[in-house]
Amino acid sequence: MIIDTSTLDAASAYKLLIGSIVPRPIGWISTMSVDGVANLAPISFFTCVGRKPPMVSITMQPRSDGQLKDTFVNVRDTGEFCFNLVSLPHAHHAHRSAAEFPTEVDEFDVLGLGKAPSDVVRVPRVDGAPISFECTLERVIPVGNDDHVVFGIVQRVHIRDDLYLEGGRVDTAALGPVGRLAAEYTLVENVFTTPLDDEILAARHPARMHRLDGRPTEFSPIGTKAWSPSGSVMD
């Protein structure tokens, strides 16, 4: 099948992208409004983009009502944000933080999450996150009709002591990171180097992913009332 993307509406293009570019790291982004209200939201269009200085990017589309997301407004207006790595104990908290809470609501309070102080920015970090970055805004680039790419310079890295090895190396096998698939999540719990034995490849070729939640293997939230093309939790 060949798909001409010019024939797709925004929601269909989004579904195709998020179902194809997998797994995606989750940028669990904490921000602070100019009025001092903390905000927390998961952004799965997130990646590293530079080394010296270390930089990350997050891409945000509008809310389901067409308004700019609080995360973007806060970063734009204050020039600060934090990235918090999502591991399995925080997976549901991260999921719930995708709900479109009113601007005056502090997601940390709603979700019962502690706030860890930052070193050089006003924005709180997620207490208990295995890794957090303190970031300052480098630039904003509008893309398409309504999306924005935010580039941030990583000013400070907070990492759990047992995870940090010499020379900047991280003990990734101890992280238990959670990534994003289409509208679902995946736990990174196996590692390998290549090449793998042909027997291993043959044994895994027809296999579907093993679900941790007990749902049928063909289940997907996309198309249900729980999913929104804005990436928000609707139910």
Side-chain angles (χ1 to χ4, degrees), residues 33-82:
S33 73
V34 293
D35 296 324
V37 179
N39 181 271
L40 186 62
I43 311 294
S44 71
F45 283 18
F46 167 81
T47 192
C48 51
V49 293
R51 299 176 299 138
K52 191 67 176 177
M55 294 179 62
V56 296
S57 73
I58 48 178
T59 301
M60 288 168 280
Q61 65 267 55
R63 293 163 53 107
S64 60
D65 61 5
Q67 300 299 307
L68 295 174
K69 288 185 175 179
D70 292 338
T71 299
F72 174 72
V73 172
N74 292 348
V75 174
R76 181 197 64 191
D77 293 351
T78 69
E80 299 178 343
F81 65 94
C82 290

Side-chain angles (χ1 to χ4, degrees), residues 86-89 175-181 185-190 212:
V86 178
S87 58
L88 191 59
L175 281 175
V178 172
R180 193 74 157 135
L181 297 177
Y185 302 92
T186 183
L187 172 65
V188 182
E189 56 182 344
N190 56 60
L212 298 180

Side-chain angles (χ1 to χ4, degrees), residues 130-153:
I131 299 176
S132 296
F133 295 167
E134 297 183 37
C135 303
T136 54
L137 178 63
E138 198 272 341
R139 73 183 69 181
V140 174
I141 300 177
V143 292
N145 294 329
D146 303 303
D147 297 354
H148 294 87
V149 183
V150 170
F151 289 84
I153 299 174

Side-chain angles (χ1 to χ4, degrees), residues 9-233:
D9 59 22
S12 297
Y14 183 56
K15 291 177 186 177
L16 187 59
L17 287 171
I18 65 175
S20 302
I21 304 172
V22 293
R24 299 187 305 283
I26 301 170
W28 203 14
I29 305 300
S30 51
T31 58
M32 181 84 76
S33 73
V34 293
D35 296 324
V37 179
N39 181 271
L40 186 62
I43 311 294
S44 71
F45 283 18
F46 167 81
T47 192
C48 51
V49 293
R51 299 176 299 138
K52 191 67 176 177
M55 294 179 62
V56 296
S57 73
I58 48 178
T59 301
M60 288 168 280
Q61 65 267 55
R63 293 163 53 107
S64 60
D65 61 5
Q67 300 299 307
L68 295 174
K69 288 185 175 179
D70 292 338
T71 299
F72 174 72
V73 172
N74 292 348
V75 174
R76 181 197 64 191
D77 293 351
T78 69
E80 299 178 343
F81 65 94
C82 290
F83 152 74
N84 306 275
L85 188 142
V86 178
S87 58
L88 191 59
H90 278 148
H92 187 58
H93 298 88
H95 177 72
R96 289 304 306 154
S97 68
E100 295 183 342
F101 295 102
T103 299
E104 64 273 13
V105 170
D106 183 326
E107 282 86 353
F108 283 86
D109 293 342
V110 172
L111 300 171
L113 292 169
K115 294 174 181 172
S118 294
D119 188 40
V120 297
V121 301
R122 294 174 56 242
V123 178
R125 298 175 292 111
V126 174
D127 189 30
I131 299 176
S132 296
F133 295 167
E134 297 183 37
C135 303
T136 54
L137 178 63
E138 198 272 341
R139 73 183 69 181
V140 174
I141 300 177
V143 292
N145 294 329
D146 303 303
D147 297 354
H148 294 87
V149 183
V150 170
F151 289 84
I153 299 174
V154 180
Q155 303 288 357
R156 296 289 189 276
V157 175
H158 299 257
I159 183 168
R160 205 172 67 213
D161 290 346
D162 64 293
L163 297 174
Y164 187 73
L165 307 177
E166 292 184 3
R169 182 169 165 242
V170 177
D171 185 3
T172 54
L175 281 175
V178 172
R180 193 74 157 135
L181 297 177
E184 298 171 285
Y185 302 92
T186 183
L187 172 65
V188 182
E189 56 182 344
N190 56 60
V191 297
F192 63 90
T193 57
T194 60
L196 289 171
D197 292 340
D198 289 342
E199 293 79 6
I200 296 176
L201 296 174
R204 297 192 63 88
H205 175 68
R208 295 181 66 87
M209 289 184 186
H210 171 68
R211 296 195 67 100
L212 298 180
D213 56 15
R215 292 181 181 273
T217 59
E218 67 275 9
F219 172 81
S220 172
I222 292 182
T224 72
K225 66 178 183 179
W227 182 82
S228 164
S230 69
S232 304
V233 174

